[in-house]
Amino acid sequence: MKHQNGTPKLNMCEDHRRSVIRNQIISFVNNGVLQTTTARAKEIKRRVERLITIAREGSDFNIIRRIT
């Protein structure tokens, strides 16, 4: 069962949350370091690990589309 496995709200509306997380992921990938709250760091870690796993598959056109 997949009960209570949604994304945390982080006390923001959906559009703001999406843009904050996206910007922090880009910042983390570019700089390698990120200073943020624990809740945001957990969400960013989960998403970055998924991106890395997908990126390891290669540089096929469809893989690049999945990442962006």
Side-chain angles (χ1 to χ4, degrees):
M1 287 186 245
K2 296 173 92 176
H3 298 301
Q4 297 181 349
N5 286 337
T7 58
K9 296 189 186 220
L10 302 174
N11 202 18
M12 299 178 206
C13 66
E14 183 180 359
D15 295 334
H16 186 218
R17 180 175 57 246
R18 184 182 306 130
S19 65
V20 166
I21 290 176
R22 183 170 190 244
N23 288 334
Q24 287 189 338
I25 288 172
I26 291 169
S27 174
F28 178 73
V29 169
N30 288 338
N31 300 324
V33 176
L34 185 66
Q35 184 174 1
T36 185
T37 63
T38 306
R40 285 184 192 170
K42 285 181 181 179
E43 183 64 21
I44 292 166
K45 177 183 174 185
R46 184 176 74 91
R47 293 183 187 211
V48 167
E49 286 179 351
R50 281 169 87 191
L51 287 175
I52 291 171
T53 303
I54 293 169
R56 282 188 192 164
E57 294 176 9
S59 60
D60 184 24
F61 176 72
N62 291 325
I63 293 171
I64 293 170
R65 287 187 68 196
R66 283 175 60 193
I67 291 173
T68 58

